[in-house]
Amino acid sequence: MANGQWYPPEWPDRIRALTDGTLTPVSPKRAATVMLLKDTDAGIAVHMLRRRASMAFAGGAYAYPGGGVDPRDDDRHVRWAGPTRAWWADRLGVDEAAAQAIVCAAVRETYEEAGVLLAGPASDSVVGDTTGPDWEADRAALVDRELSFAEFLDRRGLVLRSDLLGAWTRWITPEFESRRYDTWFFVAALPEGQRTRNASTEADRTVWIRPEDAAGSYDKGELLMMPPTIATLRQLSPYSSAAQALAAAPERDLTPVLARARIEGEQIVLSWPGHDEFTKHIPIDLPTGGAPA
């Protein structure tokens, strides 16, 4: 393997089916993921988790905390601080209800998978340690969908701090995938007094790592990642502090990145616009399950 790009073996067959019209793309589900950052003596570090090898999707790959939108976050008013829903709707390119749901998903999933909560009792404060048994009970209820995020904030007397998030990029799973997500990537700084932990049942390891170190390990084939993950790591590398990255977020282009597949001669060419390093040339007659890494 030349690098650590995660590449499912079923892709060639699905791409062929898409190009010949026998595969109908599924609609992508809305999702959000957060690149949680902190400053170290060696520079900026990002929190990453490794998906369990048993996971059907991207098993063994490194990623950030994140997941799908909870439908309940669209239809109930969430206690909110920071830029308005209208501002976020304009920034994310969606309506206000969807904007609330996407931002909620980013904050909720970070709490569910990393134990870090971007919320506070007031618009200018953030909760401290969230590792007690009562907090864990609420976190588990969120994971099991026994408790909506709006209900969680209400019972805790907290407001979601949308100002602690910066929208960074947006990627849509390729049309030939059986599981598709329209994912907004955010950046956020680790709040003072809080600490990360591996709270996800989908991960077997978590790590704080400098973006350039993670990218270097990917280039050597030592760390497995999906294209959006390594792409965002490379984008973070120029920043020396979490504050710098957050300050750069409002100017980031959120035009969705969507892979394209086309037939050229005896090959299928798979590419991601603006990201040439991920381009793949796949023989049309490649047997099922024989995709190269």
Side-chain angles (χ1 to χ4, degrees):
M1 180 167 61
N3 56 33
Q5 184 177 343
W6 179 73
Y7 184 51
E10 67 270 17
W11 272 13
D13 284 341
R14 296 188 65 85
I15 291 171
R16 283 195 292 266
L18 179 66
T19 56
D20 66 21
T22 58
L23 174 67
T24 301
V26 300
S27 297
K29 298 178 180 180
R30 294 169 301 165
T33 190
V34 176
M35 298 178 283
L36 197 60
L37 309 174
K38 72 175 181 179
D39 297 332
T40 72
D41 291 341
I44 193 174
V46 60
H47 179 71
M48 303 189 75
L49 53 83
R50 183 175 66 187
R51 294 174 59 83
R52 293 185 183 276
S54 58
M55 296 295 294
F57 182 78
Y62 280 77
Y64 312 113
V69 162
D70 182 343
R72 292 174 295 180
D73 291 336
D74 287 81
D75 56 19
R76 178 168 176 174
H77 190 80
V78 173
R79 295 166 63 99
W80 191 276
T84 65
R85 293 165 180 78
W87 184 93
W88 278 107
D90 182 67
R91 179 73 181 111
L92 302 179
V94 296
D95 61 35
E96 290 189 30
Q100 172 181 282
I102 292 163
V103 172
C104 281
V107 176
R108 175 177 47 76
E109 289 286 341
T110 302
Y111 181 52
E112 289 181 9
E113 297 196 341
V116 171
L117 183 58
L118 304 176
S123 61
D124 59 352
S125 62
V126 186
V127 295
D129 186 16
T130 62
T131 57
D134 58 332
W135 284 101
E136 179 57 24
D138 278 353
R139 192 196 66 79
L142 285 169
V143 172
D144 294 337
R145 297 298 181 261
E146 297 171 356
L147 185 68
S148 74
F149 195 62
E151 292 168 335
F152 167 71
L153 293 175
D154 284 347
R155 69 192 289 178
R156 287 279 176 180
L158 300 174
V159 292
L160 181 153
R161 289 286 306 276
S162 74
D163 56 313
L164 300 182
L165 288 168
W168 192 261
T169 190
R170 179 182 177 186
W171 287 63
I172 301 177
T173 309
E175 292 182 330
F176 46 80
E177 262 287 5
S178 57
R179 299 180 182 184
R180 300 190 64 214
Y181 298 93
D182 186 353
T183 305
W184 283 261
F185 287 68
F186 296 85
V187 289
L190 178 68
E192 184 177 353
Q194 295 193 38
R195 59 184 185 272
T196 57
R197 65 187 190 278
N198 184 8
S200 173
T201 59
E202 298 180 355
D204 60 11
R205 184 189 183 207
T206 62
V207 63
W208 281 99
I209 189 170
R210 295 195 312 156
E212 52 267 43
D213 290 341
S217 293
Y218 166 91
D219 291 336
K220 297 174 184 176
E222 297 170 352
L223 295 186
L224 193 66
M225 299 180 200
M226 293 175 280
T229 308
I230 181 59
T232 48
L233 283 171
R234 298 201 197 283
Q235 292 162 358
L236 286 173
S237 294
Y239 301 98
S240 59
S241 70
Q244 283 186 0
L246 280 163
E251 303 304 318
R252 295 278 309 169
D253 183 8
L254 296 186
T255 301
V257 179
L258 175 63
R260 298 172 180 169
R262 65 185 187 277
I263 295 177
E264 288 186 0
E266 299 301 314
Q267 291 184 327
I268 295 171
V269 179
L270 176 61
S271 62
W272 280 259
H275 300 273
D276 293 342
E277 73 167 297
F278 306 128
T279 299
K280 292 289 184 183
H281 297 265
I282 306 167
I284 289 177
D285 59 355
L286 191 69
T288 300

